[in-house]
Amino acid sequence: MGTAAQTLTAERIERALSQGDVVVHYQPCYDLRTGDMVAVEALARLLDPDTGELIEPAGFLEALEESGLVVRLDEMVLAAAAAQVARWRELPAGSRLCLAVNLSPADLDDPMLPQRFRETTEAAGLPLEAVVVELTETLLSRTGQGHEQVLAELAALGCNITLDDFGTGNASFDYLRRFRVDGIKIDRSFVQFLGSGGQHERMAESLVRFCLSLGVHVVAEGIERPQHVTALRRLGCPFGQGFLMSRPLPAADLGELLRTDAVPPSLARPTDQDVL
Ligand code: C2E
Ligand code: MG
Ligand code: MG
Ligand code: MG
């Protein structure tokens, strides 16, 4: 069953949601130094009720955000993913695995979100310390009064608050001043320039160094080439995610990766240029 780059109509999206046709794929995040899988990011897909195809967020997320139904989607994703990760944490290689989930602005509109997070993860048997909440700055730029409170409560419960797609918006630095964050994911539009030489690479390197200087967890996203890994290791960026190591996978395939407990080939051996 492949994924399709297509857009669903609002009606089909609602039907898929109400039928529970939400499928969660998981993309591993690795410690670039050791090759250990440290987290999985839950990424939602919808099963098209008409064709049986899996549709990626580009085909439904905007419509769900406009209708507010994204809150239901995110509840379903959290419930399914928390239960799944709790099971994976029983495997030797998964004992400290974290779960990263993405939130949309409407999620933060609900003052009960922290309590729902607590109840859902408790029912699943996953400690909130193992949960990473990913927020984009588009989301944060729309945050109202109550949002800061909701974020503070999530943090107080033990969740890790992470800025996603860092560098893409124009308010990145403003947010770092206003919110306490535990982590930053550097957007792939910067990561792709690492190892390329020239001005863009220097910009990307500076961004990585800047994030590291804040003393937060730094994750590079969109790692697609070995030269990205080499550059990130040289810069001291601890964590990374990308197609080079693994695409987002169905739960069964991710479980297989964990059971095998092998370092991905792309991280297996430092190259001559790597300084570990
Ligand atoms: P994101 O949170 O930044 O997630 C990373 C996206 O980049 C994913 O796309 C992933 O498949 C893709 N990606 C990962 N590694 C690479 C790489 O090496 N190269 C390239 N070109 N792409 C890579 P996806 O799954 O289509 O998700 C797109 C966005 O939709 C996510 O961006 C996130 O903002 C949003 N999203 C996904 N699932 C959920 C969800 O359950 N709830 C909410 N509210 N938003 C979600
Ligand atoms: Mg994300
Ligand atoms: Mg991102
Ligand atoms: Mg992204």
Side-chain angles (χ1 to χ4, degrees):
M1 191 163 39
T3 50
Q6 82 181 60
T7 304
L8 292 184
T9 63
E11 181 272 327
R12 277 158 99 187
I13 294 171
E14 276 191 43
R15 199 143 46 92
L17 261 192
S18 61
Q19 291 172 1
D21 286 340
V22 175
V23 177
V24 185
H25 281 187
Y26 299 88
Q27 187 180 33
C29 174
Y30 289 98
D31 186 323
L32 296 175
R33 301 156 295 193
T34 61
D36 290 333
M37 195 192 299
V38 292
V40 290
E41 178 175 7
L43 295 161
R45 278 86 180 91
L46 277 192
L47 201 57
D48 182 333
D50 294 337
T51 66
E53 273 180 308
L54 279 185
I55 312 295
E56 297 188 345
F60 61 80
L61 200 60
E62 208 180 304
L64 281 185
E65 286 182 337
E66 276 165 17
S67 66
L69 283 174
V70 71
V71 174
R72 262 169 66 199
L73 173 84
D74 289 341
E75 262 173 15
M76 294 167 84
V77 169
L78 180 67
Q84 182 60 78
V85 171
R87 284 198 295 277
W88 284 335
R89 281 164 65 93
E90 288 166 9
L91 298 170
S95 62
R96 293 192 299 164
L97 195 67
C98 290
L99 165 66
V101 293
N102 295 283
L103 290 188
S104 288
D107 290 304
L108 295 189
D109 287 338
D110 179 5
M112 299 303 284
L113 180 81
Q115 192 181 322
R116 285 197 286 112
F117 253 68
R118 193 167 52 76
E119 287 166 3
T120 305
T121 52
E122 213 170 83
L126 184 70
L128 274 168
E129 287 73 23
V131 176
V132 178
V133 174
E134 297 192 3
L135 310 164
T136 60
E137 59 180 77
T138 1
L139 185 157
L140 290 171
S141 67
R142 287 189 252 161
T143 56
Q145 284 289 324
H147 289 188
E148 298 190 23
Q149 176 70 23
V150 168
L151 285 178
E153 281 175 30
L154 281 175
L157 287 173
C159 292
N160 292 276
I161 310 292
T162 285
L163 278 185
D164 204 349
D165 302 343
F166 190 73
T168 53
N170 48 26
S172 305
F173 296 96
D174 194 34
Y175 287 120
L176 290 177
R177 268 196 307 115
R178 285 169 47 212
F179 298 96
R180 190 192 65 92
V181 300
D182 304 294
I184 293 179
K185 291 182 95 165
I186 300 175
D187 194 68
R188 68 166 179 270
S189 58
F190 287 93
V191 173
Q192 68 177 1
F193 290 120
L194 292 172
S196 67
Q199 176 76 8
H200 283 107
E201 173 170 36
R202 286 196 292 278
M203 224 196 296
E205 287 180 347
S206 303
L207 189 65
V208 173
R209 287 201 190 92
F210 167 76
C211 293
L212 289 170
S213 76
L214 298 174
V216 297
H217 291 283
V218 181
V219 181
E221 26 174 42
I223 297 174
E224 291 182 348
R225 305 166 64 109
Q227 69 201 43
H228 300 158
V229 174
T230 305
L232 288 162
R233 282 176 166 167
R234 180 169 44 76
L235 290 162
C237 180
F239 305 112
Q241 206 176 322
F243 291 171
L244 180 69
M245 287 83 82
S246 172
R247 292 188 168 254
L249 300 170
D253 296 350
L254 197 288
E256 207 37 52
L257 264 190
L258 267 179
R259 269 180 287 274
T260 317
D261 190 21
V263 170
S266 50
L267 298 181
R269 200 182 308 156
T271 63
D272 291 346
Q273 296 125 299
D274 284 336
V275 180
L276 284 172

